[in-house]
């Protein structure tokens, strides 16, 4: 404990003189050949530093993920200093409406806890079409709150996907988008035996999202169909047979400006076999699990999510964000007892913009995880952050 507090003071000092976050764009050069359209080569991103103080062990250090809270409860003080949220992007686009554009972006959330560069976005956009890797169409970027944490409220549907997307306005207030996304999206648990069942990627995930409203206040309704395919056999001598089950999900999301200083946002989602689209359960093998009462065939798990966000601007330079989220995953008796049954995530911050492209603040987060063995653990985090955008 004394060692933790001995590290706390210098790290806190470093964090407080270095913490912030915003979004901008810097044009590097404008290109134009005679009688042709102009092109802009630009860069954008942010440099963010975070100091985190945890009061319970969590497997994930750089973002608050309730699913990673270790069970049983083991209170301990841990500190972490990170620059992994920093992002650098480079793009080129035609200076015309619906022109061709290409964009790529990295952060520093590398594998195994390193700060190696990681590809976040890489896509090409033209007219109403987009192809490449970016945020899934089955999500709502507009509702993501102004928090410092690398991970949004844990009940949100929020992931990146390789995709082909078509987006079109239906009227002055309506927009519809449809996408085919990565064949390999489903994240499943296979039986732990010698038969060697295999996951297959055969049919792409299909999503649709409808938006109605103004630039500020709106409502979105979305749907997702996720085919889950795998190869099975009953004995080692048998040939593999491919089975496919269907995962599905529905999403309702919206934002309401009560006035310029008070904003309320809500998102809810429900369905079966789409757990990996949850920001907390991405690639955690919860979409389908084996049912030993039915020959170990995979069965999709139900999931329900609910998130509420309130943002208040105290002045043009000061604001606070508060949120609460809840997620639940069914109650099947064949699910492994160490798997997560439900989790909650609550947070609040206060942020200051001393300059337009700089943000400094402090944030508190609380989470609770409950597994199928009816054991639970709780965790608290305090985070000091600073970022500068360009």
């Amino acid at each position: 404990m004394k060692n933790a507090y001995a590290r706390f003071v210098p790290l806190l000092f470093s964090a407080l003189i270095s913490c912030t976050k915003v979004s901008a764009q810097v044009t590097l050069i404008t290109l134009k050949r005679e009688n042709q359209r102009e092109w802009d080569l630009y860069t954008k991103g942010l440099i963010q530093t975070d100091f985190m103080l945890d009061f319970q062990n969590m497997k994930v250090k750089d973002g608050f993920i309730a699913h990673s809270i270790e069970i049983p409860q083991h209170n301990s003080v841990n500190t972490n200093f990170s620059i992994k949220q920093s992002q650098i992007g480079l793009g080129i686009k035609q200076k015309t409406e619906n022109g061709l554009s290409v964009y790529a972006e990295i952060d520093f959330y590398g594998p195994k806890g390193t700060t190696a560069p990681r590809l976040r976005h890489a896509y090409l956009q033209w007219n109403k079409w987009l192809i490449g890797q970016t945020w899934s169409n089955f999500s709502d970027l507009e509702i993501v709150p102004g928090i410092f944490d690398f991970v949004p409220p844990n009940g949100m549907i929020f992931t990146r996907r390789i995709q082909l997307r078509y987006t079109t306005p239906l009227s002055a207030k309506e927009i519809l988008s449809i996408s085919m996304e990565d064949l390999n999206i489903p994240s499943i648990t296979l039986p732990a035996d010698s038969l060697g069942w295999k996951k297959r990627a055969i049919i792409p995930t299909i999503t649709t999202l409808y938006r109605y409203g103004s630039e500020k206040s709106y409502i979105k309704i979305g749907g997702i169909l996720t085919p889950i395919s795998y190869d099975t056999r009953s004995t080692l001598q048998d040939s593999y047979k491919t089975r496919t089950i269907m995962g599905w999900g529905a999403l309702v999301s919206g934002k309401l400006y009560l006035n310029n200083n008070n904003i309320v946002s809500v998102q809810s989602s429900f369905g079966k076999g789409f757990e990996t689209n949850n920001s907390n359960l991405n690639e955690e093998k919860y979409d389908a699990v084996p049912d030993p009462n039915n020959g170990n065939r995979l069965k999709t798990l139900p999931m329900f999510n609910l998130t509420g966000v309130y943002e208040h601007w105290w002045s043009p330079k000061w604001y606070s964000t508060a949120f609460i989220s809840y997620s639940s995953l069914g109650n099947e008796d064949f699910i492994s007892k160490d798997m997560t049954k439900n989790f909650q995530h609550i947070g609040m911050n206060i942020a200051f913009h001393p300059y337009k492209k700089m943000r400094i603040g402090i944030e508190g987060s609380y989470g609770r995880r409950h597994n199928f063995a009816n054991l639970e653990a709780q965790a608290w985090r305090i985070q000091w952050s600073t970022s500068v955008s360009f």
Side-chain angles (χ1 to χ4, degrees), residues 280-320:
N280 207 44
L281 297 172
N282 188 26
E283 299 181 0
E284 292 291 335
K285 300 183 178 181
Y286 277 74
D287 288 342
V289 299
D291 181 359
N293 300 318
N294 188 24
N296 270 338
R297 292 188 181 182
L298 298 192
K299 187 172 181 179
T300 56
L301 296 184
M303 180 173 66
F304 170 78
N305 302 292
L306 181 63
T307 299
V309 181
Y310 172 66
E311 183 177 312
H312 175 73
W313 284 83
W314 305 97
S315 72
K317 292 188 175 182
W318 288 89
Y319 77 87
S320 292

Side-chain angles (χ1 to χ4, degrees), residues 143 219-222 250-254 266-270:
I143 201 178
I219 185 171
K220 292 183 179 180
I221 300 173
L251 176 147
V252 179
S253 186
V266 178
Q267 184 183 94
S268 182
S269 56
F270 58 91

Side-chain angles (χ1 to χ4, degrees), residues 5-6 8 10 16 21 25 30 55 64 74 138 151 166 198 215 218 231 241 243 253 263 265 280 299 328 364-365 383:
Y5 283 113
F8 172 80
L16 288 174
K21 182 175 176 178
Q25 179 176 307
T30 298
F55 298 92
F64 194 96
H74 180 67
F138 187 67
V151 177
Y166 177 78
K198 303 175 183 178
E215 183 177 348
Y218 67 88
D231 287 344
K241 295 181 180 180
R243 298 184 183 276
S253 186
I263 306 163
S265 304
N280 207 44
K299 187 172 181 179
S328 176
S365 298
Q383 177 171 332

Side-chain angles (χ1 to χ4, degrees), residues 1-67:
M1 182 70 73
K2 290 183 178 179
N3 290 337
Y5 283 113
R7 296 194 303 269
F8 172 80
V9 174
L11 285 173
L12 174 59
F13 178 77
S14 299
L16 288 174
I17 64 174
S18 62
C19 297
T20 5
K21 182 175 176 178
V22 279
S23 178
Q25 179 176 307
V26 176
T27 300
L28 301 176
I29 189 172
T30 298
L31 307 172
K32 183 180 180 181
R33 297 180 63 182
E34 188 175 354
N35 299 323
Q36 292 189 359
R37 294 173 178 171
E38 291 185 349
W39 292 76
D40 275 348
L41 178 66
Y42 66 93
T43 184
K44 66 178 182 178
L46 62 91
I47 305 299
Q48 176 162 325
T49 61
D50 303 291
F51 173 75
M52 289 154 277
L53 177 65
D54 292 329
F55 298 92
Q56 159 70 2
N57 288 343
M58 291 190 289
K59 295 178 182 178
V60 177
K61 302 298 184 183
D62 295 292
F64 194 96
I65 296 181
H67 172 69

Side-chain angles (χ1 to χ4, degrees), residues 129-355:
W129 294 91
L130 179 148
I131 185 170
Q133 176 175 295
T134 189
W135 302 115
S136 170
N137 184 52
F138 187 67
S139 58
D140 182 4
L141 299 184
E142 297 178 79
I143 201 178
V144 177
I147 62 176
F148 292 100
D149 200 318
F150 194 76
V151 177
N154 290 177
M156 294 191 70
I157 299 299
F158 191 73
T159 53
R160 284 184 297 272
R161 298 291 185 225
I162 297 171
Q163 61 191 278
L164 173 64
R165 184 194 301 179
Y166 177 78
T167 304
T168 185
L170 301 178
S171 70
K173 290 188 174 183
E174 298 174 285
I175 299 174
L176 178 67
S177 54
I178 301 171
S179 72
M180 287 193 304
E181 302 189 357
D182 192 352
L183 299 171
N184 204 34
I185 283 178
S187 181
I188 62 177
T189 300
L190 292 170
D193 55 30
S194 61
L195 295 176
W197 291 17
K198 303 175 183 178
K199 178 184 173 184
R200 293 290 302 274
I202 301 176
I203 307 171
T205 291
I206 304 296
T207 81
T208 183
L209 188 67
Y210 168 81
R211 184 189 192 278
Y212 177 85
S214 64
E215 183 177 348
K216 292 183 175 181
S217 298
Y218 67 88
I219 185 171
K220 292 183 179 180
I221 300 173
I224 186 170
L225 291 176
T226 303
I228 300 171
S229 299
Y230 60 103
D231 287 344
T232 72
R233 57 181 177 179
S234 300
T235 69
L236 291 174
Q237 289 72 39
D238 291 342
S239 299
Y240 284 107
K241 295 181 180 180
T242 300
R243 298 184 183 276
T244 300
I245 57 178
M246 185 64 68
W248 64 273
L251 176 147
V252 179
S253 186
K255 178 179 287 189
L256 176 63
Y257 275 70
L258 303 176
N259 53 48
N260 288 333
N261 296 327
N262 296 279
I263 306 163
V264 176
S265 304
V266 178
Q267 184 183 94
S268 182
S269 56
F270 58 91
K272 286 189 172 183
F274 76 113
E275 278 78 356
T276 198
N277 292 276
N278 177 288
S279 63
N280 207 44
L281 297 172
N282 188 26
E283 299 181 0
E284 292 291 335
K285 300 183 178 181
Y286 277 74
D287 288 342
V289 299
D291 181 359
N293 300 318
N294 188 24
N296 270 338
R297 292 188 181 182
L298 298 192
K299 187 172 181 179
T300 56
L301 296 184
M303 180 173 66
F304 170 78
N305 302 292
L306 181 63
T307 299
V309 181
Y310 172 66
E311 183 177 312
H312 175 73
W313 284 83
W314 305 97
S315 72
K317 292 188 175 182
W318 288 89
Y319 77 87
S320 292
T321 299
F323 66 85
I324 182 170
S325 72
Y326 171 80
S327 299
S328 176
L329 295 108
N331 195 27
E332 305 288 355
D333 57 8
F334 57 80
I335 300 175
S336 175
K337 298 302 181 183
D338 63 349
M339 293 181 72
T340 299
K341 183 177 182 179
N342 58 62
F343 51 88
Q344 293 80 45
H345 184 200
I346 301 171
M348 179 181 293
N349 68 16
I350 184 165
F352 172 55
H353 285 274
Y355 304 101

